[in-house]
């Protein structure tokens, strides 16, 4: 898979403050790339550099093998976290203006806007002023404007904030559809559940440095211990628990069940097979649950960031 | 990608559609014409209120020379005694009482005429009375000396120096005034334009910042392009507004003057006519003077200084708008904008008029922040071409510099929220 976007050793300083310290990223074509990091980590600065809003002090950015160039503006669609529209301008005129700024002709922009407005069933908003719309409604208009010029690279910064669950779902579906149509998407958010759901690649930035980057499955694999969550019914629970504790490293586990059972987390040695554990369990009781503990993005995030403190 | 025309168009439409802008465009000429009407109306009431002055003339020879006018009406109270007259004047609430004592030699009379009134009387009324009495006494004095008044009148000379330049063309004494009016109007107009529309540029920058649309715009457009588009769009809106003002104001004035027959000409014209004595020949000379002004030079230099000055200042206004979060925060940065403007106007109205080519005038017509105003005022008086050239070069150089600086502050400032920057921080932004 080729990389649509390559960020190579980019650094950015504001006075004595370092916002980005030699950060490199590779965003594969056609992926949804989760850009994660705590507040103030440097995500927004990086996104602004990709958008050519600010220039890097050092390093280079390549889009589709070419060094970033002013003409690339029309290849990128950006939905910033801090977003708004002209309050006293009409929705339609505003959308047309922003589309034209991205290089669409007026006619083209009109046709595409009509398509999107029909799709979201908001055609009757065309002549309204933004100040008459609710925040969520304005967000929808912003989403349309971001994707209208069919850019190769889409950057969404907290795209779901301000949406109710129904509309958030509509937007999520649209994002997935855009990916299917071949767009590459960079997705910056604090909502880890949507990262789990949507992203296939992630990168984690903390304190101006990149800590983790890779395919989501690879990242998870490298962060998992050899840990299994077990729910089992024994006739003599206390004795069996003692036995288990002698053989394995056992800690309490917490998950919801409908009946009483022994709930434990078993940590195996690095190269040990889970089959031994499973053999012991099946020989002595009824196994109701047996699954490998895979860290969530949330856990990886918290662990990595706190280790980096 | 050149988005400048798009931005310019949007800014222009946004300005022009703004409700306040529309209201002010059509209301201002009404207010302006209304003010002129009000002033001329007040002036008419003022003069229509004829002042009733009672006169006790014990000599019997002065009352006939006091001519009643539109302003003052003299009533003969000579039949009354002074005390009676005073009471009567007070009870009838007349304007005042003039007392000319009898049994006094002419030489003493000069000092013994008295005027009684409740309020301190109008200076021009008193001066007219003094003049009439003085003329009468002077004539009596001449007669006592045995001089023929008519001969004296014939002998009195009236000197009116004819001013000509070396190429033999006659000029009126008005030419200096005309030059002052031309320069002053141009300078003043420029200052107003900068303040009104510079503020508008600033407000529109702040609006984009507080709307948070700025980051969306700035991901498609270079900040410099956005800033220039704003400045140009706003200035086109401004020119349109001024044009409508002049047009509407002119039409309204013409219509109203023709209906009401009020003399509502601008005061400067009144003054000019009065000074010229409304003499046909003089008017011809004034027209000649106007035509003889270097009109082409004036128009060209007006355009250059107007555009230059406006660009210089609105770039500063745009930078201020980018640096702050709200209009209230902008106050701290206003001083460096207003100060040079005021300085330019003051230097123009005091120094240039006194001495158009003096050191102060020359220096201030070189400093870029004041040169648009001061030089515009100097040019009608004739400025050597090389001075104009230096001043224009300095202006253009500083425009380039200021737009570059403003662009830097703008680029950083529009994405900064939350805190009020200090001058020190602004300086730091220049280095980012």
């Amino acid at each position: 898979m080729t990389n649509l976007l390559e960020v190579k050793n980019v650094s950015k300083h504001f006075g004595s403050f370092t916002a980005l310290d030699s950060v490199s990223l590779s965003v594969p074509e056609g992926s949804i790339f989760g850009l994660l990091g705590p507040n103030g980590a440097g995500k927004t600065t990086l996104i602004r550099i990709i958008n050519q809003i600010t220039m890097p002090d050092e390093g280079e950015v390549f889009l589709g093998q070419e060094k970033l160039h002013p003409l690339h503006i029309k290849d990128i669609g950006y939905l910033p976290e801090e977003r708004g529209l002209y309050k006293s301008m009409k929705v339609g005129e505003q959308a047309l203006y922003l589309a034209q700024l991205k290089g669409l002709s007026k006619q083209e922009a009109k046709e595409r806007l009509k398509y999107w407005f029909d799709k979201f069933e908001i055609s009757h908003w065309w002549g309204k002023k933004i100040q008459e719309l609710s925040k969520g409604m304005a967000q929808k208009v912003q989403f349309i404007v971001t994707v209208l010029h069919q850019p190769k690279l889409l950057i969404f910064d907290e795209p779901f904030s301000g949406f109710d669950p129904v509309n958030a779902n509509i937007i999520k579906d649209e994002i997935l559809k855009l990916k299917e149509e071949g767009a590459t998407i960079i997705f910056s958010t604090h909502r880890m559940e949507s990262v789990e759901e949507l992203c296939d690649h992630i990168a984690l930035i903390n304190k101006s440095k990149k800590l983790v980057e890779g395919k989501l499955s690879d990242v998870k694999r490298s962060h998992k211990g050899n840990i299994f969550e077990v729910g089992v019914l024994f006739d003599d629970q206390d004795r069996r628990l003692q036995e288990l504790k002698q053989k394995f490293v056992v800690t309490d586990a917490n998950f919801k069940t409908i009946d009483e059972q022994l709930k434990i987390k078993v940590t195996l040695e690095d190269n040990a097979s889970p089959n031994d554990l499973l053999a012991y369990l099946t020989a002595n009781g009824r196994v109701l649950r047996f699954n490998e503990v895979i860290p969530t993005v949330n856990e990886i995030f918290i662990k990595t960031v706190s280790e980096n403190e | 990608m050149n988005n400048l025309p798009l931005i310019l168009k949007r800014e222009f439409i946004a300005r022009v559609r703004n409700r306040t802008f529309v209201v002010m465009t059509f209301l201002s000429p009404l207010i302006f014409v209304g003010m002129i009407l009000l002033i001329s109306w007040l002036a008419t009431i003022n003069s229509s209120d004829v002042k009733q002055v009672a006169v006790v003339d014990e000599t019997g020879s002065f009352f006939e020379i006091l001519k009643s006018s539109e302003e003052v009406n003299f009533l003969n109270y000579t039949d009354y005694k002074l005390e009676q007259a005073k009471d009567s004047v007070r009870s009838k609430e007349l304007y005042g009482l003039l007392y000319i004592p009898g049994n006094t030699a002419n030489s003493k009379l000069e000092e013994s005429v008295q005027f009684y009134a409740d309020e301190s009387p109008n200076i021009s009324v008193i001066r007219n009375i003094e003049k009439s009495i003085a003329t009468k006494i002077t004539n009596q004095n001449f007669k006592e000396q045995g001089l023929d008044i008519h001969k004296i009148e014939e002998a009195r000379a009236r000197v009116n120096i004819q001013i000509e330049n070396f190429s033999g063309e006659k000029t009126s004494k008005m030419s200096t005034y005309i030059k002052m009016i031309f320069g002053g109007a141009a300078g003043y107009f420029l200052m107003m334009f900068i303040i009104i529309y510079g503020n508008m540029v600033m407000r529109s920058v702040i609006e984009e910042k507080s709307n948070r649309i700025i980051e969306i715009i700035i991901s498609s457009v270079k900040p410099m392009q956005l800033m220039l588009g704003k400045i140009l769009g706003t200035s086109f809106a401004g020119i349109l507004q001024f044009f409508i003002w002049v047009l509407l104001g002119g039409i309204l004035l013409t219509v109203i003057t023709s209906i009401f027959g009020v003399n509502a000409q601008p005061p400067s014209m009144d003054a000019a006519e009065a000074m010229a004595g409304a003499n046909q020949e003089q008017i011809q000379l004034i027209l000649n003077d106007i035509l003889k002004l270097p009109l082409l030079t004036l128009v060209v230099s007006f355009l250059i200084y107007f555009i230059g000055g406006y660009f210089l200042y609105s770039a500063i206004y745009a930078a201020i708008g980018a640096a702050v979060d709200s209009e209230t925060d902008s106050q701290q940065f206003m001083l460096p904008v207003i100060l040079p403007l005021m300085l330019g106007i003051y230097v123009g109205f005091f120094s240039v008029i006194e001495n158009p080519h003096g050191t102060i005038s020359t220096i201030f017509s070189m400093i870029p922040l004041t040169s648009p105003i001061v030089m515009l005022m100097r040019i009608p008086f004739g400025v050597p071409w090389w001075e104009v050239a230096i001043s224009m070069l300095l202006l253009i150089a500083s425009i380039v510099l200021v737009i570059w600086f403003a662009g830097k502050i703008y680029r950083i400032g529009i994405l900064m929220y939350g805190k009020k920057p200090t001058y020190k921080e602004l300086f730091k932004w220049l280095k980012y």
Side-chain angles (χ1 to χ4, degrees):
Chain A
M1 203 182 333
T2 54
N3 291 328
L4 179 71
L5 182 79
E6 291 265 13
V7 175
K8 288 185 177 157
N9 301 315
V10 163
S11 296
K12 180 75 187 175
H13 310 278
F14 294 109
S16 58
F17 174 73
T18 304
L20 289 174
D21 186 3
S22 192
V23 169
S24 300
L25 287 180
S26 307
V27 179
E29 196 160 359
S31 66
I32 299 189
F33 190 97
L35 186 61
L36 314 178
N39 298 324
K43 284 173 297 178
T44 305
T45 307
L46 182 61
I47 290 174
R48 282 180 182 168
I49 287 173
I50 295 169
N51 275 297
Q52 305 180 67
I53 293 172
T54 36
M55 298 298 136
D57 295 336
E58 293 145 38
E60 287 171 330
V61 179
F62 294 87
L63 185 75
Q65 324 305 326
E66 281 172 67
K67 198 161 180 274
L68 217 50
H69 179 273
L71 284 178
H72 283 137
I73 281 174
K74 65 175 192 313
D75 293 331
I76 302 179
Y78 174 36
L79 184 67
E81 187 182 2
E82 294 282 7
R83 50 185 168 248
L85 294 165
Y86 290 111
K87 283 206 180 66
S88 52
M89 213 173 161
K90 286 182 182 148
V91 173
E93 284 174 6
Q94 186 147 213
L96 269 179
Y97 172 64
L98 292 171
Q100 280 175 282
L101 285 185
K102 284 286 188 190
L104 288 183
S105 75
K106 198 169 182 180
Q107 197 49 42
E108 217 175 353
K110 239 181 204 162
E111 280 163 19
R112 291 193 198 175
L113 278 172
K114 192 179 174 315
Y115 165 79
W116 278 97
F117 272 54
D118 285 344
K119 187 173 191 172
F120 282 171
E121 297 174 347
I122 55 170
S123 302
H124 57 288
W125 291 358
W126 188 271
K128 283 192 177 172
K129 285 183 178 173
I130 288 291
Q131 56 199 9
E132 300 170 48
L133 303 184
S134 74
K135 193 183 171 204
M137 292 159 114
Q139 301 265 69
K140 258 189 186 169
V141 178
Q142 265 154 354
F143 180 82
I144 293 175
V145 168
T146 311
V147 302
L148 196 70
H149 57 292
Q150 299 174 339
K152 285 187 230 161
L153 178 64
L154 281 160
I155 303 175
F156 295 116
D157 200 346
E158 294 291 358
F160 302 125
S161 73
F163 279 122
D164 60 60
V166 176
N167 279 310
N169 219 35
I170 294 176
I171 297 297
K172 195 188 81 192
D173 289 346
E174 287 305 327
I175 292 178
L176 287 171
K177 214 177 278 172
L178 287 165
K179 177 198 152 118
E180 269 169 37
E181 285 162 11
T184 307
I185 294 157
I186 294 180
F187 187 42
S188 169
T189 183
H190 291 298
R191 289 206 196 174
M192 295 307 161
E193 73 279 4
S194 46
V195 176
E196 299 272 2
E197 201 179 342
L198 293 172
C199 297
D200 33 39
H201 284 72
I202 61 164
L204 205 157
I205 297 178
N206 187 33
K207 291 190 171 168
S208 74
K209 286 195 173 75
K210 183 190 78 185
L211 300 180
V212 175
E213 186 193 358
K215 243 179 147 165
L216 186 60
S217 51
D218 292 342
V219 171
K220 286 199 167 189
R221 199 165 292 131
S222 70
H223 278 82
K224 79 181 171 78
N226 210 357
I227 304 172
F228 294 85
E229 212 167 42
V230 174
V232 62
L233 268 176
F234 292 117
D235 293 336
D236 188 353
Q237 289 219 7
D238 291 342
R239 195 170 60 84
R240 293 292 173 199
L241 184 60
Q242 289 307 318
E243 258 183 50
L244 273 169
K245 279 189 175 167
Q246 281 163 14
K247 293 187 179 185
F248 308 100
V249 182
V250 177
T251 48
D252 289 340
N254 224 339
F255 46 85
K256 279 204 176 111
T257 52
I258 40 172
D259 45 20
E260 284 299 308
Q261 51 180 276
L262 184 65
K263 299 173 200 173
I264 50 170
K265 231 188 235 173
V266 181
T267 310
L268 301 178
E269 279 170 29
D270 278 354
N271 296 313
S273 159
N275 289 0
D276 300 341
L277 172 63
L278 194 57
Y280 173 84
L281 292 172
T282 44
N284 298 296
R286 267 175 71 203
V287 179
L288 298 172
R289 181 188 187 102
F290 189 89
N291 64 278
E292 187 178 14
V293 177
I294 311 248
T296 60
V297 177
N298 198 28
E299 283 160 347
I300 296 172
F301 181 96
I302 292 170
K303 193 172 142 231
T304 319
V305 168
S306 53
E307 274 170 7
N308 186 241
E309 286 299 308
Chain B
M1 232 180 310
N2 188 14
N3 284 321
L4 193 62
L6 264 176
I7 302 167
L8 198 154
K9 197 175 131 204
R10 196 210 81 86
E11 290 297 329
F12 178 77
I13 291 173
R15 286 316 123 239
V16 172
R17 278 215 195 132
N18 181 294
R19 205 167 295 149
T20 333
F21 185 90
V22 175
V23 170
M24 284 319 289
T25 305
F26 292 99
L27 209 59
S28 293
L30 280 177
I31 294 173
F32 177 70
V33 170
M35 291 268 279
I36 290 181
L37 281 180
L38 188 72
I39 289 169
S40 51
W41 181 67
L42 284 178
T44 19
I45 331 188
N46 212 8
S47 50
S48 72
D49 185 17
V50 181
K51 298 181 175 68
Q52 305 289 343
V53 174
V55 182
V56 175
D57 176 15
E58 291 180 353
T59 61
S61 57
F62 283 94
F63 183 75
E64 62 201 61
I65 58 137
L66 293 169
K67 295 263 159 36
S68 292
S69 65
E70 281 177 12
E71 203 182 1
V72 194
N73 188 29
F74 294 104
L75 306 165
N76 198 346
Y77 272 51
T78 312
D79 298 341
Y80 292 89
K81 288 245 157 31
L82 179 59
E83 290 309 315
Q84 284 175 316
K86 275 185 190 169
D87 290 339
S88 171
V89 164
R90 211 174 296 158
S91 63
K92 286 183 189 162
E93 292 184 347
L94 297 185
Y95 187 75
L97 172 67
L98 179 68
Y99 174 63
I100 304 167
N103 315 324
T104 324
N106 269 347
S107 54
K108 294 263 175 67
L109 199 56
E110 289 169 23
E111 299 295 327
S112 47
V113 174
Q114 278 173 302
F115 191 89
Y116 301 95
D118 275 339
E119 323 154 25
S120 55
N122 188 321
I123 299 252
S124 75
V125 171
I126 296 295
R127 201 165 286 156
N128 279 335
I129 296 173
E130 281 174 347
K131 212 165 116 194
S132 305
I133 296 176
T135 315
K136 173 89 179 167
I137 297 176
T138 312
N139 287 350
Q140 277 178 358
N141 286 345
F142 282 146
K143 220 178 255 174
E144 277 170 25
Q145 302 284 331
L147 297 171
D148 186 342
I149 297 161
H150 297 291
K151 290 241 165 92
I152 289 170
E153 282 302 320
E154 274 169 33
R156 186 165 283 150
R158 283 186 185 76
V159 179
N160 187 1
I161 295 179
Q162 302 297 308
I163 303 172
E164 270 180 42
N165 64 12
F166 288 114
S167 46
E169 285 168 306
K170 280 192 178 174
T171 52
S172 73
K173 282 164 232 158
M174 284 305 301
S175 97
T176 314
Y177 289 105
I178 292 168
K179 286 171 183 169
M180 263 161 55
I181 290 166
F182 258 83
Y188 197 73
F189 175 70
L190 175 58
M191 186 191 74
M192 293 306 292
F193 197 90
I194 287 173
I195 290 181
I196 296 176
Y197 300 102
N199 252 304
M200 228 177 245
V201 170
M202 187 181 78
R203 270 205 301 277
S204 107
V205 176
I206 294 176
E207 188 206 357
E208 274 176 2
K209 241 185 115 170
S210 54
N211 275 351
R212 314 265 161 163
I213 194 180
I214 190 67
E215 200 160 346
I216 293 180
I217 302 277
I218 223 70
S219 66
S220 341
V221 176
K222 285 235 162 62
M224 189 65 97
Q225 253 182 26
L226 182 61
M227 190 176 86
L228 290 181
K230 248 177 208 318
I231 292 173
L232 285 174
T234 309
S235 61
F236 286 158
I239 289 165
L240 178 73
Q241 192 175 44
F242 257 93
F243 187 71
I244 295 177
W245 279 351
V246 170
L247 206 71
L248 267 185
I251 292 172
L252 272 176
L253 264 184
T254 331
V255 169
I256 289 173
T257 24
S258 61
I259 292 175
F260 295 102
V262 181
N263 181 16
Q265 278 166 314
S268 60
M269 285 297 285
D270 270 349
E273 270 174 34
M275 277 184 268
N279 183 315
Q280 197 59 41
E281 198 185 339
Q282 291 277 32
I283 289 172
Q284 196 54 48
L285 277 179
I286 290 169
L287 279 178
N288 279 345
D289 277 340
I290 293 176
L291 288 176
K292 259 182 290 170
L293 283 174
L295 281 179
L296 187 67
T297 322
L298 273 181
V299 169
V300 170
S301 56
F302 176 76
L303 284 179
I304 292 176
Y305 279 107
F306 186 83
I307 293 168
Y310 173 73
F311 260 79
L312 188 69
Y313 277 97
S314 32
I316 300 176
Y317 269 110
I320 294 174
V324 300
D325 275 355
S326 69
E327 226 180 316
T328 28
D329 288 350
S330 67
Q331 294 308 325
Q332 61 164 335
F333 297 114
M334 277 293 115
L335 194 67
V337 182
I338 300 294
L339 205 66
L341 280 177
M342 297 309 285
L343 203 64
I345 287 288
Y346 280 126
V347 167
F349 277 113
F350 292 107
S351 188
V352 172
I353 284 170
E354 190 84 355
N355 185 0
H357 306 305
T359 321
I360 295 179
S361 310
T362 313
I363 289 174
F364 277 96
S365 61
M366 293 293 159
I367 299 173
L369 282 172
T370 52
S371 68
I373 293 174
V374 178
M375 192 55 108
L376 271 184
M377 290 184 167
R378 279 185 69 198
I379 283 178
F381 293 97
V383 178
W385 68 268
W386 58 269
E387 275 190 30
V388 180
I390 292 175
S391 154
M392 279 184 183
L393 276 179
L394 281 174
L395 182 66
I396 290 166
S398 55
I399 288 170
V400 173
L401 200 70
V402 164
I403 287 188
W404 184 77
F405 273 119
K408 281 222 143 194
I409 291 178
Y410 190 84
R411 205 162 57 82
I412 310 284
I414 42 177
L415 294 172
M416 292 271 182
Y417 288 104
K419 58 175 184 178
K420 229 160 104 177
T422 57
Y423 282 106
K424 205 174 132 195
E425 276 169 299
L426 287 190
F427 185 69
K428 246 165 64 187
W429 291 359
L430 294 180
K431 294 188 286 189
Y432 280 177

